[in-house]
Amino acid sequence: MAAHTEADRLAFLYRFVSRLNRVPDAAALFEQALDALQESLGVSRCAILLYDDDRVMRFVAWRGLTPEYRAAAEGHSPWNPDDPSPQPVVVRDALAEPSLAAYATVFIRENIRAIAFIPLVYEMHLLGKFVLYSDKPYEFSNDEIMLASTIGSHVAASAARHASLRALAERELRLRLATQAAQMGVWEWDIQQDRITWSGRMYQILGLPGGSYMDRKAATDLIHPDDLGRVRDVVTKAVETRGSCRDEFRVRLPSGEYRWVSIAGNVISDEGGRPDRLLGTMVDVTESMRIRQTLASVQERFSRFMRHLPAAAFIKDVQGRYVYANPVAEKLLGGGTADIVGKSDDKVLPSQIAGAARTSDLEVIQKRETVQVMETFTLEDGPHHFIVNKFPIVDPDATVLVGAVAVDITERLQAEEKLRSVGARLDLAMTAGNMGTWEWHFGTGAVVWSPSLEEIHGLATGTFDGTIESAKRLIHPDDVNNVVATVQAAADERKSYRIQYRIIRPDGQVRWLEARGKVFFDSAGQPERMAGVCIDITERKQVEDELREANRQLTRVNDDLRQFSYAASHDLKEPLRQLSLYAQLLQRNYGDKLDEEANRYLSFCVRGSQRVHDLINDLLVYIEADTAGAEATEPVDANRALGLVIENLSAPIAESRATITSDRLPMVLVHEAHLVQLFQNLIQNAIKYRHPERLLVVHVGVRKEDPYWVFSVRDNGSGIAAEHYERIFRIFNRVRSDVQGSGMGLAICQKIVERYRGRIWVDSTVNVGTTFYFSLPQAPPSPSKN
C-alpha cells in the first residue's frame, strides 16, 4: 500500500476537496472518490456502495471488480443501518474471517484476501461504505484507515450536497412549471403598504405554523442579530437602486435552532417609477453552508499547517513557475511570496541548481510519480543540503502541478560525518592501543564484544557467541574466580571496577589484560547494563618485569659500587697519607741538603697527594649524594644551613674579602647536611671564580613555585660562557684549568637536587656574574596551636 507523510496527506486532502467543489454531479463525485482512494492508498481495487430507498447496499462505483463479484457481494453491510456512529472494519485475511465465510468461494475466485470497510456517514446517518481490497493478507494501517475515512466524510458531505442541489433543481423546475412551488419559499414585500406575504413553503422553512400572521417586524426578529444589519443594508440598497438583492444569513426557528437561508429578490416599480414591491425567494442552505464551512476549515487548517511547517513547501505549474510557497520556502528561495510567485527556478536559483530542479520537475509531470532528489542551496551561513520530495498534483482537467517538500538535512549530514570520523578515529585508537570495548546486558545476559576485543582474545571477527560462559572460558583458570567476583561485586554495589588478569588464547598463548567497567542504570534507577574496555597490557607487564629485574640488578651494582668505593678510598688514602708524610719528612730533614729542583719535586708530591685525597673525598660525597640516609621527614631551616656554611668558609671568605647576603629563607624538607653541601659548593664555586678586578658579592635569594622553593645563588664573578652550561654539571669537568678543584662540586649539587626530585640550572654572563638556581620541596605547614 502507498505510504504518506502527514504533509502528503494534508496536501492530497486539500487537492481532493478542491476537486470535489467542482464536480458536476454524483457520478463524477464517485469517480473522483475512487481516483482519490487509488491515488492516496495505492489500492488497485475499490468500490463505493450506497443504501437505496429499500435500505439495501448497492454498488454505485467500482474499480477492478467483476460483475459476478458485485452480484455476490451486493447487500452486505458490517453495520446496522441505524447505527449513528459506525466504525471502520478491517479484515486482514478474508478467508480466515468467520463472518465472511459465506463469501469464501467468491474471494478465492476473485483473489481477494484483505478487505477494509469504511462507513460513509453524514450527520449521524449511515449512507453507505467504501470497500478497499488487497490480493494478499494485509493489515491496513491506522493512517491508511484515517485517510480513507477522511475522504469518505468529504464524499458523504458532497453526496449530500449534490442530493440537496439536485433537490433544489427539482424544486426550481417545479416552481417554473408552477406544479410544486412549495419546494422553494416565495415572499413578497409590499413596500408602499409595508405588508409581507409568504408562500406555504416559507412557513415550512422557518418552522412556523402555516398562515401565521407576519409583518416586517416579526420577519426581521427571525434574523440572527449578527446578520440583521447586513440584511437591512442589502434590502435598503435594492430598494434605493430599484435593483435586486441577494444574501445568505441565519434565521432562528421556534425550536431555537438557527438555519442558514439564501434569499434572492427584485424590486418592482409602479407606473411612476417608485419602488412598489420586492418579490423574492428563500431557500434553506444550511447543509450547503455547512459543507462550505467544512471546506473552509480544512483549507484554513491546511494553510495554517503549511505556515508552521518547519520544512520548505512549494507548488509549481507545468511551466516551472511558483504558484505557492510557505514561509520557509520563501526564505530559502530568497524573498517574500510576492517575489517568488510567478517566477521560475532560473529567476531565483543559480543556473546549475535551476537546471537540475527543472529536470526533476519534468520527471514528476511525465511519470506522475513522487520523486526524491537532493538539492543544495547557499544560505547566509553557507551551503545547506535538502532532501526534496516532489509529487504530482493532478487537477480534474488533467493539469499537473508539482508539489514539493524540502527538508534541511545539513546538520544531520554533518552529524553523520562527524560520527563516522569519530568512529574511525575510535577504531584506530582502539586498534593502536590494543583495546576493545564490551557490554553486558543484565536483562538478557547477552555480552557484546567489539571486533578489536575479539582480536585481542585471538578470535575471528564475529565468532564470539555473546555469552558469559564463553567469556569465562577464555580467562586463565587461576584468575577466573577473582575476575567473576570483582565484576559481580561492581554490579551488586553499583560501582566501577578495574582489574588485571590473564587470558589464554585458542592457540595457547597467555596474555595479560586490564579491564575497566561501569554500571549503567535505567530510568527507574535499576541496573541495566555494564560497559567498559579491555586493554592488552602484556607488553607493559613484560617491561615492568624487566624493569624490576633491572632495578634489582642496579641496586646490587650500586651496593657493590658503594662497597668498592669505601674500600678503595680507604686503600688509596693510606698510601697517599704515607707518601705525603714521607715527602714532608724528606723536605724537613734533608731539604737543606737537596738542590732547588729536588725540593720542588717534593712539593709537587705533597700537593698531588692532597689533590688526590680531596678527589677521593668528593667522589665519595658524589656517590652518597642520592643514596645515603632515609627520606627527610623533618623540616630544615635554610637560614641555619646557610649560617653553618658561612662559618665553615670563614677563612676563604675573609681571604677573598667576599660579602655574603641573603633573603629571609624558608623551611624545606631535605636533610640539613645536603642543604649545607649545596650552599657550600656553590659559594665555594663563586669564591674560586671571582672577578680579579672587583670584590666578590654573593646573594642567596628564594621564590615560591608550588610545590617547591626555588633558591638562587647569585655572584658578580667572572661568569660562564653559554656553551659550558651543560658540561659544568658533569663530574671531573672544570671550565678553567688555572683554578684548583676536583671538578665534582656542581655534579654533587645536581645529585643532591635530583634526589629530592628538583632541578638545578645556571644563568650567566661573562665578566658580569653567574646565578645558580635549584628547587627543593616545601616543608608542610606546621599544625596550628590552640
Side-chain angles (χ1 to χ4, degrees), residues 706-728:
D706 291 335
Y708 294 97
W709 289 108
V710 177
F711 291 87
S712 61
V713 179
R714 185 178 69 249
D715 65 52
N716 61 344
S718 56
I720 305 170
E723 60 267 23
H724 299 310
Y725 285 0
E726 292 292 332
R727 58 185 289 260
I728 60 175

Side-chain angles (χ1 to χ4, degrees), residues 424-484:
R425 290 199 299 270
L426 180 60
D427 290 342
L428 182 61
M430 286 287 179
T431 302
N434 286 329
M435 293 186 292
T437 59
W438 56 268
E439 287 189 3
W440 176 24
H441 297 267
F442 298 147
T444 62
V447 180
V448 181
W449 280 6
S450 68
S452 56
L453 187 55
E454 290 180 303
E455 182 179 351
I456 288 173
H457 283 81
L459 303 177
T461 301
T463 59
F464 176 63
D465 64 5
T467 64
I468 286 289
E469 292 304 317
S470 294
K472 288 166 60 176
R473 281 195 294 269
L474 295 171
I475 301 174
H476 194 286
D478 294 343
D479 297 343
V480 65
N481 290 337
N482 185 36
V483 173
V484 171

Side-chain angles (χ1 to χ4, degrees), residues 585-616:
L585 289 174
L586 283 172
Q587 196 172 31
R588 184 173 66 246
N589 296 332
Y590 302 100
D592 55 346
K593 296 178 181 179
L594 298 175
D595 58 18
E596 182 179 350
E597 187 174 2
N599 277 303
R600 187 161 54 87
Y601 291 159
L602 289 173
S603 297
F604 288 160
C605 288
V606 172
R607 289 197 298 273
S609 299
Q610 185 60 44
R611 282 198 300 273
V612 174
H613 184 276
D614 293 341
L615 181 60
I616 291 172

Side-chain angles (χ1 to χ4, degrees), residues 486-502:
T486 301
V487 173
Q488 190 62 53
D492 294 341
E493 299 173 15
R494 304 187 179 189
K495 66 179 183 180
S496 302
Y497 78 89
R498 182 172 180 173
I499 188 174
Q500 295 181 0
Y501 59 93
R502 291 163 294 176

